[in-house]
Amino acid sequence: MEAFNSFLGNSPNWYKKTILAFLILNPILLVTIGATATGWIIIGEFILTLAMALKCYPLQAGGLIAFEVVLMQLTSPETIFHEIEGNLEVILLLVFMVAGIYFMKPLLMFIFGKIFIKVRSKVALSLLFCFIAAFLSAFLDALTVTAVLIGVFVGFYEVYHKVHSSNTDFNQSGVVDRKELSGDTLEKFRSFLRSLVMHGAVGTALGGVCTIVGEPQNLLIGDKVGWDFMQFFYAMAPVTMPVLVAGLMTCVLLEVTGKFGFGEKLPNKARDIIQGFLEEQDANRSGAAKYALVVQAVSAIFLIIALAFHLAPVGLIGLTIIVLQTALTGITEEHRIGHAFEEALPFTALLAVFFVIVAMIHDLHLFKPIIQYVLEQDKAIQPALFYVANGVLSMISDNVFVATVYINEVKAAFEAGTIDREQFETLAIAINTGTNLPSVATPNGQAAFLFLLTSALAPVIRLSYVRMIWMALPYTIVLGVIGLLGVIYFL
């Protein structure tokens, strides 16, 4: 009984029993229905562990399933290492860039605190976050932009929590702030933050699909086809520009209608109290704190220039801004530096576990029948089929992996003379847009979405796997359909 109680800690008993059942049944399924069918079932099991992220971090349950996958020889340690090696830049980004942004939190709160208070229109604020995230993701990296968003919203929630835990009266209402910020006001504040962070997260996909540097698979696809930055942008534009406009219009429409969990405004009480708190902070800011803001601002400018011109891999740039900020502001104690890595390292471990499932998909060739079927179809409908196939598979697997598999197969078909150069380029556009746009449907497809789901922000604003899917649904439909129409009619 003690062993069962300790297994997966405070997770619901039904979930513990379900994971144990998976671990017992998987070897039996392998023997009875074969490796391919078992592989698809294991993908479903892993998705369940992601869906339960708020009750039990997916690393443990997902890790046990992944360990069993290796024991059942559905993949090998060599393939897993190859997948991790191929995604080393993403891993370095998570380890160093997220930590670098941690040290910029005071600057982010200084800037965005002003924006939150001064922009009173929720529609304008939502559109601003969505557009800024899209613009930055086109030149930087979706994961980096998501890390900034998380840093901003965690900081904003911490301000709320700090005031909520004190006996202050910042809005001078005669009532202690703690009482005014409880109950319904707290729920409205959480809903307000949820909607903004989801607009921002979708914005990273809207911008990331447009340029060769926006997402990791874009760089891969551009390299295979031989496109430079502008060639890639112009090739994608017939699909990505209408999608960008439709996405921003969807943002406005969701806020105006208040559907799918959007539309909640910042409660006036909360706005007044937080404004009072931020004004007091500004008034009492010490000389050292002001100097730190200057250092963080200079580091932020360096970060943007270094990322925009790709002076080094993203992770190494992150390491650079860690060194600059800590050295110049006197943060030299190991425990103070260590806190910066707490947010990203659990997710980095989870991503490594996720690559076990990706390696299994690779070794069992689970996607190959779909690719072969599409390549056998009439050339006129191939782009649309590639878009749909990539979109659906990116909802359940890593979109970088899906794009890698598909672009390699298409490149092989081109080199074999099966398709001509024009068709090769058209299919490359379909693969890129297919893996980037419909994948906003679930946290599985985009690392930025999965990072958001498993971040420290998700539990405090009650952003669960199911709620994330529900809030992303209107965007999924609009982006997916407009993207498909673009592939069919504009290419």
Side-chain angles (χ1 to χ4, degrees), residues 21-42 45 65 67-75 360 363-364 366:
F22 288 162
L23 296 173
I24 294 166
L25 285 172
N26 286 340
I28 300 169
L29 291 172
L30 179 62
V31 174
T32 54
I33 63 174
T36 301
T38 304
W40 280 106
I41 290 169
I42 287 171
E45 294 171 0
I65 292 169
F67 182 54
E68 188 177 56
V69 163
V70 178
L71 291 179
M72 293 192 299
Q73 297 185 334
L74 295 177
T75 189
M360 178 193 74
D363 281 349
L364 296 181
L366 295 183

Side-chain angles (χ1 to χ4, degrees), residues 257-309:
T257 60
K259 301 295 184 183
F260 293 93
F262 293 94
E264 190 66 68
K265 297 175 176 63
L266 179 61
N268 287 329
K269 289 178 185 176
R271 181 190 300 277
D272 294 341
I273 290 167
I274 291 169
Q275 184 174 359
F277 176 84
L278 292 175
E279 286 172 355
E280 186 184 89
Q281 269 202 328
D282 288 344
N284 297 331
R285 187 171 281 114
S286 66
K290 289 176 182 175
Y291 166 71
L293 285 179
V294 173
V295 171
Q296 290 158 24
V298 172
S299 299
I301 293 167
F302 168 78
L303 171 66
I304 292 167
I305 293 170
L307 288 172
F309 290 96

Side-chain angles (χ1 to χ4, degrees), residues 149-427:
L149 286 173
I150 291 169
V152 168
F153 290 112
V154 165
F156 208 54
Y157 188 87
E158 283 173 355
V159 169
Y160 190 100
H161 182 70
K162 194 177 290 183
V163 177
H164 185 260
S165 305
S166 66
N167 290 312
T168 54
D169 183 18
F170 283 111
N171 63 344
Q172 298 177 345
S173 64
V175 181
V176 177
D177 293 333
R178 184 174 65 250
K179 293 182 179 178
E180 292 190 274
L181 293 181
S182 299
D184 191 45
T185 305
L186 177 57
E187 288 309 311
K188 285 180 178 179
F189 182 70
R190 282 173 173 154
S191 181
F192 169 78
L193 292 186
R194 266 200 311 271
S195 59
L196 284 180
V197 79
M198 283 302 294
H199 287 311
V202 172
T204 64
L206 287 171
V209 68
C210 295
T211 66
I212 197 168
V213 297
E215 293 280 356
Q217 69 266 32
N218 300 18
L219 203 57
L220 173 72
I221 292 166
D223 181 60
K224 294 286 183 184
V225 182
W227 285 326
D228 61 21
F229 186 94
M230 292 311 298
Q231 287 173 325
F232 186 97
F233 177 78
Y234 287 133
M236 298 297 158
V239 180
T240 58
M241 289 302 103
V243 167
L244 176 61
V245 172
L248 294 174
M249 288 172 63
T250 304
C251 173
V252 173
L253 196 62
L254 287 170
E255 285 302 322
V256 170
T257 60
K259 301 295 184 183
F260 293 93
F262 293 94
E264 190 66 68
K265 297 175 176 63
L266 179 61
N268 287 329
K269 289 178 185 176
R271 181 190 300 277
D272 294 341
I273 290 167
I274 291 169
Q275 184 174 359
F277 176 84
L278 292 175
E279 286 172 355
E280 186 184 89
Q281 269 202 328
D282 288 344
N284 297 331
R285 187 171 281 114
S286 66
K290 289 176 182 175
Y291 166 71
L293 285 179
V294 173
V295 171
Q296 290 158 24
V298 172
S299 299
I301 293 167
F302 168 78
L303 171 66
I304 292 167
I305 293 170
L307 288 172
F309 290 96
H310 300 278
L311 301 181
V314 180
L316 297 184
I317 295 170
L319 178 59
T320 305
I321 64 168
I322 290 173
V323 173
L324 288 175
Q325 290 179 100
T326 53
L328 295 176
T329 57
I331 301 172
T332 55
E333 296 84 4
E334 185 182 359
H335 69 275
R336 288 180 68 192
I337 298 168
H339 287 308
F341 294 89
E342 289 175 359
E343 175 74 12
L345 285 183
F347 179 71
T348 307
L350 173 61
L351 202 61
V353 167
F354 185 55
F355 289 139
V356 178
I357 306 301
V358 172
M360 178 193 74
I361 293 170
H362 179 272
D363 281 349
L364 296 181
H365 307 290
L366 295 183
F367 294 167
K368 194 152 192 175
I370 303 169
I371 299 170
Q372 289 175 336
Y373 171 78
V374 174
L375 284 173
E376 288 167 2
Q377 303 309 302
D378 185 85
K379 286 186 178 180
I381 64 168
Q382 278 184 7
L385 289 175
F386 263 88
Y387 177 89
V388 171
N390 276 267
V392 172
L393 293 175
S394 292
M395 292 177 190
I396 60 173
S397 180
D398 173 40
N399 61 357
V400 178
F401 168 73
V402 174
T404 303
V405 171
Y406 270 80
I407 197 64
N408 285 337
E409 291 289 337
V410 170
K411 181 76 181 285
F414 168 64
E415 290 174 343
T418 309
I419 56 175
D420 58 24
R421 174 73 191 185
E422 185 182 357
Q423 183 72 356
F424 175 42
E425 291 187 4
T426 304
L427 293 181

